[in-house]
Amino acid sequence: MSATIGVGLIGTGYMGKCHALAWTSVGAVFGPKRRPKLVHLAEADPQLAAERAETFGFEKSTANWRTLIADPEVDVVSITTPNALHPEMAIAALEAGKHVWCEKPMAPAEADAARMRDAARAAGTAAILGYNYIQNPMIRQIERLLHEGAIGAVTHMRIEMDEDFMADASSPFGPKSDGAHGYGALDDFAVHPLSLLSVLVGLPRRVVTHMSKPFAARPTADGGSREVETYDIANILFELESGASGVLCVNRSAWGRKGRIAVQIYGARGSIVYDQERMNEVQFYSADDDPAVQGFRTILAGPAHDPYGRFVPAPGHGLGFNDLKIIECAELLRAIDGDAGARVIDFERGLAIERAVHAMARSHESGGWVDLS
Ligand code: NAD
């Protein structure tokens, strides 16, 4: 008989549903020592909170997230609200002795992210961020190839993250164009590629950035227009601790791109290519192959790529985005159990990612290289 762990969920939009699915499925997929019990759900509107609690299977609902945090039956809090609300909610949960699973990024302001890290240190509970892409079994396979030296020393990296939800110039001015909500593509997107860098090769030691706005203004509801304050595009040159160079490009206005995180890693003896839009495959080229058959080979995800086999025994059938969240949930449960090997971006590592983003923004302002260390 496994012990239970009481779950609280704040926010029930895109990510809220994703967390609810993960909490519901993690036991069936991983059979954890602690079985999640869906205890309390918070939404901004009481009626929506009650409806979502019924849909997702939570016992209680509230429009006051502090009530959820004060609930003694809640052991772990999923925070899936807009970025600006993360610090207050995460710090309150940590001060109440709860474990926290907070969506990325930590906070718009670096000082608030640091306060969240400090609260996690003081609480001593598990505090992790929603960096689901690192959980892909194929990203783990890339990590394995790098670790085994399959492509030799990394000489160059390129990462591009592109989507098109800001591509239409006629879409109205909203929070994504409002500077009060952050820099734009840098904190919306760049944090994800940085989480991948963090597990694959480490974060950059210095960066130089140029950001741009595809549209200077967007229409407003009253028939006028308002100047866009955020940058939908950011281009970053970076240097790794090893001295290898890299390029990171992020664009929220790239027509036709829906969930692209394209990673190219070039090494002294080979190359690795991956794209999140084809998340069940990795391209691998080895200069050590027989020249007669040399070429990129496609490795399809299968049970050889842990934890793929937990979901489906047949290779090549594929995992999906929500499965990454289930894996992240299982890793969080390992962290809660004190397993130092849990594969998570905790608030300590998360703060390093936030600092990289703010360094990139400072570089855009100054026009020069900015050191991260
Ligand atoms: P969303 O707008 O779909 O959902 C946010 C929810 O929070 C809404 O249901 C809203 O009503 C609720 N909310 C707002 N204020 C609240 C309050 N005071 N109390 C309770 N609920 C409140 O947004 P989203 O796309 O789910 O984004 C949420 C977070 O997830 C953001 O931080 C975003 O950066 C992150 N995100 C992560 C990923 C990922 O891949 N990990 C993808 C998308 C979004």
Side-chain angles (χ1 to χ4, degrees):
M1 201 46 193
S2 56
T4 59
I5 179 162
V7 177
L9 171 67
I10 311 179
T12 64
Y14 172 17
M15 276 304 112
K17 183 163 200 171
C18 219
H19 280 233
L21 276 167
W23 284 118
T24 306
S25 310
V26 69
V29 178
F30 288 92
K33 280 186 264 170
R34 297 167 188 261
R35 198 145 290 267
K37 183 171 176 235
L38 309 186
V39 173
H40 215 140
L41 176 151
E43 245 303 339
D45 172 75
Q47 197 183 329
L48 182 62
E51 281 170 20
R52 292 282 158 86
E54 193 180 350
T55 306
F56 295 169
F58 280 77
E59 292 169 1
K60 298 172 244 182
S61 70
T62 177
N64 181 352
W65 57 269
R66 289 190 184 277
T67 305
L68 178 153
I69 284 175
D71 185 340
E73 282 193 272
V74 170
D75 303 303
V76 55
V77 182
S78 272
I79 300 172
T80 69
T81 49
N83 304 349
L85 298 175
H86 296 175
E88 196 184 8
M89 291 175 171
I91 291 169
L94 289 164
E95 285 176 351
K98 315 288 180 182
H99 306 286
V100 170
W101 183 10
C102 181
E103 268 315 315
K104 50 58 62 179
M106 293 173 88
E110 190 175 335
D112 284 334
R115 288 197 303 119
M116 290 167 75
R117 190 277 313 269
D118 292 346
R121 273 188 185 171
T125 52
I128 75 152
L129 294 152
Y131 282 116
N132 25 275
Y133 298 115
I134 69 162
Q135 304 298 348
N136 187 342
M138 299 318 277
I139 294 293
R140 293 183 187 206
Q141 178 56 30
I142 293 174
E143 202 178 327
R144 215 169 293 129
L145 287 169
L146 292 175
H147 187 72
E148 291 165 356
I151 64 164
V154 171
T155 53
H156 179 64
M157 282 198 70
R158 288 185 217 162
I159 307 192
E160 296 153 58
M161 182 162 180
D162 304 305
E163 293 187 27
D164 64 3
F165 58 85
M166 299 298 279
D168 190 344
S170 66
S171 24
F173 189 98
K176 295 262 180 214
S177 298
D178 184 342
H181 291 266
Y183 303 115
L186 211 50
D187 36 13
D188 232 11
F189 276 8
V191 291
H192 277 305
L194 283 166
S195 74
L196 293 177
L197 282 178
S198 166
V199 297
L200 294 175
V201 290
L203 289 174
R205 71 174 172 203
R206 60 183 194 132
V207 293
V208 63
T209 303
H210 178 262
M211 297 195 281
S212 62
K213 300 174 185 177
F215 312 113
R218 287 190 182 269
T220 49
D222 60 6
S225 76
R226 186 170 157 188
E227 190 188 332
V228 170
E229 293 160 357
T230 56
Y231 298 91
D232 292 327
I233 299 167
N235 305 292
I236 300 113
L237 295 181
F238 62 83
E239 187 179 67
L240 297 173
E241 283 298 344
S242 65
S245 67
V247 183
L248 168 59
C249 293
V250 287
N251 186 350
R252 308 189 298 188
S253 59
W255 277 122
R257 302 300 189 189
K258 305 299 178 186
R260 183 167 191 258
I261 307 178
V263 181
Q264 299 180 69
I265 310 173
Y266 297 102
R269 297 299 304 162
S271 307
I272 297 170
V273 175
Y274 164 87
D275 186 350
Q276 174 62 28
E277 282 184 355
R278 304 182 66 87
M279 59 173 274
N280 286 287
E281 60 186 65
V282 167
Q283 309 285 327
F284 169 53
Y285 180 100
S286 172
D288 298 323
D289 283 347
D290 177 347
V293 293
Q294 227 165 35
F296 274 99
R297 76 184 77 153
T298 301
I299 305 166
L300 281 187
H305 309 110
D306 193 47
Y308 176 102
R310 295 272 188 174
F311 292 84
V312 49
H317 285 50
L319 301 189
F321 177 82
N322 282 318
D323 297 327
L324 304 185
K325 225 56 186 170
I326 297 171
I327 302 172
E328 189 169 73
C329 189
E331 295 296 335
L332 166 60
L333 288 168
R334 285 177 64 194
I336 288 172
D337 281 336
D339 183 341
R343 184 182 175 83
V344 291
I345 303 277
D346 62 14
F347 278 21
E348 207 75 52
R349 289 178 84 181
L351 181 59
I353 289 173
E354 307 278 323
R355 287 190 166 142
V357 160
H358 290 283
M360 289 169 184
R362 284 201 302 281
S363 161
H364 173 75
E365 289 301 318
S366 70
W369 286 91
V370 172
D371 290 337
L372 268 70
S373 39

